[in-house]
Each structure stands twice: as structure tokens, then as C-alpha cells.
């Protein structure tokens, strides 16, 4: 056996070995079944081995073919990985980013145009979901995880720590004062956000009241929503006081559509940039991470983000 087998013959063998069908291999490669058969014959002649049993209604690998197939499959996987690495070696291409619905909608998405302006050759595809997606299975490059640092063996960089704070329509404050007292809050409808996987120890009205008015039990009249944007909109519409994350409410507070009803806040979970460790220093990953951390710094320096001072 001299030299390397023809690449097209190896490609035909790999497809036929996976499908055990010349017809399906031909459809994958966009050639005819006859061409597949011819290429495999060429490979068999080169190797001096039969790789398939060609039965009347079936195709079966010979022992030699079964031994050969995993190595060829691995070689083609290496080719594909090499192509990905080549693309990742420059700050260009698609970057698939996932984040929670609330963070993606209210904080990240409104800022992404600045990243696109700075890195026009990187196309960010944002997947907003409260499900924790698997990087490999769902084709995710970067995940903005919301939690307390439980990221397993992923590379992680802290971005921001959130705080839960009461917000309401500015009209409420116009009617009742600059901020509301605890007694005034008790007389108003309360709105609470409980995200997917919410636990009793997470920020909510009960621990908020314990921090403000521990001598009396928390009011039992809070309406509960599973979507933070719905809570914020209900507060804007004047339906009550919502206890929500400052990161989610920041844009509406800055625009004047929402107001902080009471200065007391509760420390909440943090946002982390995460990715596979081997990708952390690749140019497009590093570009997005550095941009994200810079945006977080700018936010903390602003009037709303400054409320997060002292929260780590």
C-alpha cells in the first residue's frame, strides 16, 4: 500500500459506514449511489482489503471495515474541529450566547449594538432562556449564568451581583412622597417575581419585610409572577409595588417609567460569564468577555448601578 488513500474515497467510506447504505451516503454527499460504490472500490483496491459485504438488500461492514471505520470517523471529526479552531483563532464568526430571559431582555440585548459596532465581524446570536443549556448538545459558546458561582469545571468570570429592590410607578410617589414608608407599603398591592427554580431562601417579600420591619409578619397579599418583565410592567402600569432585580429594572428606572419605592434592597444572585475552559482565551470569546465586563463597570459607575455598591 503506497501513499495515502484518496480523500473522496475515505469520505464515501465514512458516510456509507455510518448509514450502512450507499443510497443514504449518496444523499449526504450529493452524488449518486454508483459514485459512492466506485469510490469505495477504489479505497478497497488501495488497501487491498474488502470493507463491506454487499448483500442483496443490505450493506454490512467486514471485520476489517469495522476496525477501519472508527479511525476514519475520528479523522473527519478532527478535520471539522480544525476548521472551527481556524475560525475561532480570529475575532470573527458567529458567537452563540445564552442568558436568562430577564437578563437577556432587560440588560444585555439593549447593549449588544455597542458590541456589534466594536466587533462587526462577530455575529452574536442571543438565546434567552431560563433553562441551563448544555454547551455541546445545544451548540452554545457562552452562557451568562445567574447563580452563586456554581459553574462546575467551566471557565467563569464574575460580571455583576444583582439586588432585589421595590419599584413602582412614579405616580405612586407623586401621590405619597419621595419614597414610601414600610407602613405605606403595607397598604399597597405587592408583586413578586419567582423565577424557575425559585427557593424559599431566594430574595422575596418575606425576607425583605424581615429586614425592614421584623416585629411584624410580612403581608400575605403578594401577587406572584414567573416572568420578571411582567412584574416590571405591572408596576409601571400602577398595579402595585414589585420586588424585582435592579439589573432588570435599571432601564425603566433610568427612563423615569419606574421609581425606587423604598431604599432597602436584598442581595441577590450574581451573573457570570462562562464558557468551556479551552475557549476562554480564543479571540472572539475574549472579545465578548472583555466587552461585557467593561459594560458592567460602566453600569456600576452610573446612577442606578451605583445602588449595587457594597454588594459583592
Amino acid at each position: 500500500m503506497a501513499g495515502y488513500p484518496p480523500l473522496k474515497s475515505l469520505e464515501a467510506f465514512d458516510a456509507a459506514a455510518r448509514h450502512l447504505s450507499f443510497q443514504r451516503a449518496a444523499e449526504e454527499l450529493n452524488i449518486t449511489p454508483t459514485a459512492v460504490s466506485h469510490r469505495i472500490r477504489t479505497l478497497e483496491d488501495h488497501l487491498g482489503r474488502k470493507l463491506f459485504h454487499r448483500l442483496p438488500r443490505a450493506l454490512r461492514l467486514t471485520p476489517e471495515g469495522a476496525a477501519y471505520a472508527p479511525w476514519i470517523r475520528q479523522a473527519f471529526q478532527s478535520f471539522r474541529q480544525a476548521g472551527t479552531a481556524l475560525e475561532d483563532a480570529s475575532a470573527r464568526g458567529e458567537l452563540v450566547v445564552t442568558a436568562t430571559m430577564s437578563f437577556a431582555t432587560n440588560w444585555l440585548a439593549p447593549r449588544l449594538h455597542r458590541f456589534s459596532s466594536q466587533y462587526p465581524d462577530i455575529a452574536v446570536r442571543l438565546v434567552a432562556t431560563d433553562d441551563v443549556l448544555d454547551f455541546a448538545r445545544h451548540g452554545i459558546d457562552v452562557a451568562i449564568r445567574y447563580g452563586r458561582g456554581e459553574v462546575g469545571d467551566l471557565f467563569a468570570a464574575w460580571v455583576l451581583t444583582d439586588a432585589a429592590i421595590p419599584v413602582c410607578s412614579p405616580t405612586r410617589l407623586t401621590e405619597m412622597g419621595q419614597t414610601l414608608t414600610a407602613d405605606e407599603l403595607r397598604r399597597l398591592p405587592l408583586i413578586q417575581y419567582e423565577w424557575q427554580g425559585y427557593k424559599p431562601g431566594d430574595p422575596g417579600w418575606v425576607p425583605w419585610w424581615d429586614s425592614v420591619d421584623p416585629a411584624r409578619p410580612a403581608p400575605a397579599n403578594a401577587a406572584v409572577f414567573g416572568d420578571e418583565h411582567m412584574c416590571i410592567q405591572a408596576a409601571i402600569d400602577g398595579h402595585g409595588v414589585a420586588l424585582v432585580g435592579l439589573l432588570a429594572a435599571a432601564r425603566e428606572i433610568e427612563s423615569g417609567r419606574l421609581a425606587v419605592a423604598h431604599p432597602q434592597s436584598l442581595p441577590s444572585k450574581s451573573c457570570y460569564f462562562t464558557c468551556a475552559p479551552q475557549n476562554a482565551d480564543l479571540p472572539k470569546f475574549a472579545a465578548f468577555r472583555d466587552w461585557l465586563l467593561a459594560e458592567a463597570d460602566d453600569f456600576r459607575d452610573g446612577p442606578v448601578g451605583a445602588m449595587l455598591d457594597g454588594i459583592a
Side-chain angles (χ1 to χ4, degrees), residues 17-205:
R18 282 186 284 106
H19 296 298
L20 289 178
S21 165
F22 286 169
Q23 177 65 45
R24 292 179 63 190
E27 291 170 359
E28 178 181 316
L29 300 175
N30 198 29
I31 58 177
T32 66
T34 301
V36 171
S37 179
H38 176 73
R39 291 179 184 183
I40 290 173
R41 291 275 188 197
T42 300
L43 178 61
E44 290 175 327
D45 290 344
H46 180 89
L47 298 173
R49 301 282 194 281
K50 289 293 182 185
L51 300 175
F52 288 100
H53 292 299
R54 293 164 174 81
L55 306 175
R57 296 184 180 276
L59 189 66
R60 193 169 73 241
L61 287 162
T62 65
E64 293 86 351
Y68 194 54
W71 292 95
I72 301 306
R73 187 171 306 150
Q74 182 178 334
F76 277 102
Q77 287 173 345
S78 296
F79 291 155
R80 287 188 286 271
Q81 289 169 353
T84 300
L86 188 62
E87 180 178 292
D88 287 342
S90 60
R92 62 177 61 248
E94 184 179 67
L95 191 71
V96 182
V97 178
T98 183
T100 63
M101 289 288 296
S102 181
F103 186 78
T105 303
N106 297 302
W107 199 92
L108 182 56
R111 291 169 166 79
L112 270 180
H113 68 95
R114 293 200 281 266
F115 178 80
S116 297
S117 296
Q118 191 172 345
Y119 296 96
D121 292 329
I122 302 176
V124 174
R125 181 158 67 89
L126 181 58
V127 180
T129 176
D130 290 337
D131 294 326
V132 177
L133 301 183
D134 179 82
F135 281 75
R137 190 166 73 251
H138 296 99
I140 300 300
D141 295 315
V142 170
I144 313 299
R145 295 275 167 86
Y146 189 67
R148 304 191 190 280
E150 323 89 336
V151 297
D153 58 358
L154 297 174
F155 171 88
W158 173 77
V159 180
L160 287 164
T161 296
D162 204 0
I165 195 162
V167 294
C168 65
S169 166
T171 306
R172 292 271 186 193
L173 299 188
T174 302
E175 295 169 352
M176 305 178 75
Q178 190 64 30
T179 59
L180 305 179
T181 65
D183 285 337
E184 289 170 332
L185 274 176
R186 284 184 177 276
R187 297 196 295 270
L188 295 175
L190 303 180
I191 302 163
Q192 177 163 314
Y193 168 49
E194 292 187 4
W195 54 85
Q196 183 176 313
Y198 180 88
K199 298 179 179 61
D202 288 332
W205 278 114

Side-chain angles (χ1 to χ4, degrees), residues 9 16 58 71 86 110 149 158 171 178 208 218 225 247 255 261 285 297 306 310:
S9 293
W71 292 95
L86 188 62
W158 173 77
T171 306
Q178 190 64 30
W208 189 88
F225 294 93
L247 298 182
S255 71
F285 288 79
D297 288 343

Side-chain angles (χ1 to χ4, degrees), residues 164-168 185 205 208 241-244 259-266:
I165 195 162
V167 294
C168 65
L185 274 176
W205 278 114
W208 189 88
V241 180
L243 188 69
V244 295
V260 175
H262 192 285
Q264 179 68 18
S265 64
L266 288 178

